Amino acid sequence: MVSMTKIEPLGAVRERVTAELRQEIIAGSLRPGDRLVERELAERFGVSRVPVREAIRALVAEGFVHFETPRRTVVRRLTPNDVKELFELREALEVYAAGLAASRATPQDLAEVRGLLDRAAAATGAGDAELITDLNSRLHDRIVAMAGNSLLTEALEPVAGRLRWMTRRNEEWPQLLVEHRELYEAIASGDPDRARAHALTHVRTNYRSTVRHLFGEEAP
């Protein structure tokens, strides 16, 4: 009997390469200024250069890499203005989402957030930066989902990866856990004004911490 090797569709290969490169950038394995060479990446992933080229284009569109020249692609170096603009967007949308979540969250929604907080507490105690980053991102995604507004979710989706990339550098994990617990309590209270106030404080505190950790300076 002749064995049949399953061929992975080109689209699936592209998505896999894109996801792995994105995660390497977020985790810091690929650092700002590092060059992405199609031939080398194709060899490393065991694929042709076509899905690598398409993956690089996708990461350019997401803001992770950019073309220094037509023949040289590097991981993007974040600037203070990049951080400022993304946090301004986060402030506008996540604060609004928290208010909606306070008025629309179900008991099951709140139980899921409590579960994420419990796991984040354990990861914080263990100092597991990768898991902490993942759980914190999932917590924010869950709050946005609780708002019950699909357009709001779609508006945040294109920048979610970049926000995770930036906040990954902020290692003030115990403080973040405290803020997330306070935000949860505010949403669970069912008071939209209280939820928005805590979300605003959290986003602005996180902005200052991120600027400090990225650039060694205080945010304006």
Side-chain angles (χ1 to χ4, degrees):
M1 178 182 293
V2 178
S3 62
M4 300 295 290
T5 302
K6 184 177 181 181
I7 299 176
E8 190 176 11
L10 179 60
V13 176
R14 180 189 66 242
E15 290 301 317
R16 174 169 60 83
V17 174
T18 303
E20 291 190 31
L21 287 175
R22 184 193 298 115
Q23 183 54 36
E24 289 181 14
I25 294 171
I26 291 172
S29 301
L30 286 172
R31 302 181 62 82
D34 284 353
R35 188 179 180 187
L36 302 183
V37 181
E38 285 184 15
R39 174 179 50 78
E40 294 176 357
L41 292 173
E43 291 176 358
R44 175 153 72 90
F45 288 113
V47 300
S48 72
R49 294 174 65 168
V50 174
V52 171
R53 186 177 305 124
E54 293 179 354
I56 288 174
R57 288 174 180 166
L59 293 171
V60 169
E62 292 178 18
F64 285 100
V65 304
H66 74 109
F67 298 112
E68 279 193 339
T69 71
R71 300 177 66 85
R72 181 180 176 86
T73 308
V74 300
V75 178
R76 185 174 179 174
R77 294 179 176 87
L78 294 170
T79 68
N81 193 59
D82 291 331
V83 180
K84 176 175 175 288
E85 289 183 347
L86 272 171
F87 272 83
E88 285 175 344
L89 179 64
R90 184 179 175 189
E91 182 175 308
L93 298 182
E94 288 194 12
V95 171
Y96 179 58
L100 290 178
S103 61
R104 296 176 178 176
T106 66
Q108 181 179 349
D109 289 331
L110 296 175
E112 290 180 12
V113 175
R114 285 197 304 273
L116 289 172
L117 285 170
D118 289 343
R119 293 181 63 192
T124 299
D128 188 337
E130 196 68 34
L131 182 56
I132 293 168
T133 301
D134 178 61
L135 290 170
N136 287 345
S137 296
R138 288 169 60 187
L139 184 143
H140 280 281
D141 291 345
R142 193 73 204 97
I143 291 173
V144 172
M146 284 159 56
N149 186 310
S150 60
L151 292 178
L152 185 61
T153 302
E154 291 173 8
L156 276 166
E157 186 174 358
V159 299
R162 268 184 289 170
L163 281 170
R164 186 175 180 181
W165 183 25
M166 291 179 184
T167 56
R168 171 67 175 78
R169 311 289 185 85
N170 177 7
E171 297 184 354
E172 298 176 12
W173 308 128
Q175 177 60 30
L176 281 172
L177 182 60
V178 169
E179 292 174 23
H180 285 159
R181 281 174 168 162
E182 291 176 345
L183 179 57
Y184 163 77
E185 293 294 342
I187 291 172
S189 74
D191 183 343
D193 289 336
R194 179 182 170 189
R196 283 191 291 266
H198 276 277
L200 180 60
T201 298
H202 171 55
V203 171
R204 290 183 175 176
T205 299
N206 197 217
Y207 169 58
R208 290 192 293 271
S209 298
T210 299
V211 170
R212 186 164 58 249
H213 283 271
L214 282 174
F215 309 110
E217 61 188 50
E218 293 300 318

